[in-house]
Amino acid sequence: MTTPAPHPVYVIGGGPGGLAVAATLREQGVRAVVLEKSDSIGSSWRGHYDRLRLHTTRRLSALPGLKMPRSFGRWVARADVVRYLETYADFHDLEIVTGVEVARVERDGTDWVLHATGGRRLVGSAVVVATGYNHTPRLPDRPGLDSYDRELVHASAYRNPEPYKGLDVLVVGVGNTGAEIAADLAEGGAARVRLAVRTAPYICRRSTLGWPTQRSGILVRRLPVGLVDRVTGLLGRFITADLSAHGLPRPEGGLYSRVRQGAIPVQDVGLVAAVKAGKVEPVAAVASFDGAGVVLADGSRISPDTVIAATGYHRALEPLVGHLGVLDERGRPVVRGARCPREAPGLYFTGFTNPISGMLREMALDAERIARRIARQTARRKARRP
């Protein structure tokens, strides 16, 4: 009698995290099938703004089994990340199916059933969810948004400053994306650029005397939060920018305490110089929208030509796995990496954090851990077969 082949491991999402898991599983001798809802891998990276470069170094951003070329430089450009992902998939000969979106995942005995595009019913031995940290754009939830009659776009739709030359632009949100878009607009010819700030961020140099901030992030991850807060406080003026004289107050709370709460420091790639030169004006947070105007938290009313909302994303995992009890109150996985939720053995999540040690680096580490665990589980299942 012929022993039936084991069901494959399904990896949902063809971004860096999903590709890394598929490659490491293949290295372990486990068949993995990547399901990508768009028509190409790395779709989120293809859609990022032109100016974007990794804030992590080339050497610390490669996925398992393939280095990034030296020709990419130290800070890798968005287009080169896309090229790398394409090369990575080819190099590892990954099994990828594009144009397939998984709507729901359910447990069926020891296997998993995926309900996908076109009525597909796919059965897998395990499932790795790698749909991405930046999944569904989130617009600012403020009164009057529905009746606002000026242009308002999410940062995910921003590509370059060309369409905004000569315009008055308000950027909402001062995370890394908002800060970089504001600087890009100022350098690219926008008539006026204002940056709405709700919570003042820590702004750090990308590197200091050749030492990348990412390496510091790696070193401090296992140190006590209070200790790191005290050290960074003492070194504040050497590692963080002070723009309080230019309308952006100093951040409150310790730097690492803020990181542990999800507030990643902004890596300066032009914002500090633009603010000091008066090309980017920090303003109060948006309180509401009013017809053609925007009301700020300090009571002032402005009328920009365009509002660009760098207000983040929803993980949008509820339709996929919300019924399994594996998400927390914010809609994020209760466990990640090589750990499975107690209620869902064989279900893994990767790429749902934004660590200061570098997202690509952590996804690469996650991939190796997940692959090793799945390989062990697969070997046990094979051994139990008659």
Side-chain angles (χ1 to χ4, degrees):
M1 179 182 294
T2 302
T3 302
H7 296 302
V9 174
Y10 281 107
V11 180
I12 307 175
L19 298 180
V21 170
T24 49
L25 282 169
R26 181 179 172 82
E27 183 68 20
Q28 293 279 350
V30 178
R31 183 189 174 203
V33 179
V34 178
L35 304 175
E36 168 56 45
K37 69 176 182 179
S38 70
D39 60 1
S40 58
I41 62 171
S43 60
S44 64
W45 282 94
R46 295 175 192 276
H48 284 315
Y49 47 94
D50 297 344
R51 171 194 175 107
L52 178 65
R53 287 181 177 271
L54 292 180
H55 292 161
T56 54
T57 67
R58 181 191 74 252
R59 289 185 177 181
L60 295 175
S61 300
L63 302 179
L66 184 66
K67 294 180 179 180
M68 287 187 172
R70 289 177 59 88
S71 60
F72 285 1
R74 193 181 199 193
W75 312 106
V76 182
R78 177 200 62 83
D80 285 334
V81 173
V82 174
R83 288 170 52 198
Y84 173 72
L85 295 178
E86 292 173 339
T87 302
Y88 189 84
D90 290 340
F91 180 82
H92 289 288
D93 195 21
L94 301 183
E95 190 173 348
I96 300 170
V97 183
T98 58
V100 174
E101 182 172 8
V102 179
R104 186 178 175 91
V105 174
E106 295 178 341
R107 185 78 170 160
D108 182 14
T110 59
D111 291 322
W112 287 92
V113 175
L114 293 75
H115 300 276
T117 305
R120 291 178 176 88
R121 185 181 183 276
L122 308 171
V123 180
S125 59
V127 174
V128 182
V129 180
T131 50
Y133 191 82
N134 297 337
H135 188 274
T136 302
R138 180 177 59 205
L139 290 172
D141 183 16
R142 295 291 182 270
L145 178 62
D146 292 342
S147 61
Y148 185 63
D149 60 11
R150 295 283 182 96
E151 182 182 50
L152 186 150
V153 298
H154 189 267
S156 59
Y158 179 86
R159 295 294 174 270
N160 57 64
E162 186 65 29
Y164 304 97
K165 283 186 175 180
L167 298 183
D168 181 341
V169 184
L170 172 68
V171 179
V172 181
V174 68
N176 277 294
T177 297
E180 193 157 353
I181 288 176
D184 199 31
L185 288 165
E187 295 170 9
R192 186 175 190 179
V193 181
R194 283 174 282 204
L195 181 59
V197 179
R198 182 174 61 178
T199 304
Y202 279 95
I203 304 176
C204 302
R205 299 181 180 91
R206 191 163 57 180
S207 66
T208 303
L209 301 176
W211 177 266
T213 297
Q214 180 191 8
R215 287 199 177 275
S216 298
I218 294 170
L219 291 175
V220 305
R221 287 201 72 187
R222 300 190 184 280
L223 294 178
V225 174
L227 173 63
V228 180
D229 282 347
R230 287 193 294 273
V231 171
T232 53
L234 291 172
L235 298 176
R237 70 187 186 91
F238 297 104
I239 62 174
T240 63
D242 183 359
L243 295 176
S244 54
H246 302 274
L248 187 63
R250 293 284 293 174
E252 297 179 358
L255 187 152
Y256 200 42
S257 293
R258 294 274 298 274
V259 168
R260 295 295 291 268
Q261 296 165 7
I264 300 299
V266 170
Q267 301 248 350
D268 178 38
V269 287
L271 179 67
V272 171
V275 170
K276 288 183 176 180
K279 295 180 179 180
V280 172
E281 308 166 47
V283 297
V286 172
S288 63
F289 294 88
D290 180 16
V294 179
V295 180
L296 303 180
D298 60 7
S300 60
R301 186 179 188 275
I302 61 176
S303 299
D305 298 310
T306 298
V307 175
I308 298 176
T311 44
Y313 296 80
H314 296 289
R315 308 292 88 78
L317 290 170
E318 288 81 2
L320 185 68
V321 296
H323 56 287
L324 298 172
V326 298
L327 304 178
D328 64 18
E329 65 280 358
R330 295 187 296 171
R332 299 184 182 187
V334 292
V335 296
R336 298 172 293 273
R339 296 173 59 199
C340 298
R342 183 178 303 174
E343 306 84 350
L347 179 65
Y348 301 86
F349 296 88
T350 185
F352 291 97
T353 60
N354 189 18
I356 57 173
S357 51
M359 183 178 287
L360 290 175
R361 176 182 181 273
E362 293 304 318
M363 285 192 290
L365 295 173
D366 268 359
E368 293 175 332
R369 295 173 186 134
I370 290 170
R372 286 195 296 268
R373 177 162 181 181
I374 291 177
R376 288 196 299 268
Q377 296 294 337
T378 301
R380 291 187 189 122
R381 291 179 74 169
K382 288 181 178 178
R384 287 197 295 265
R385 285 199 196 116

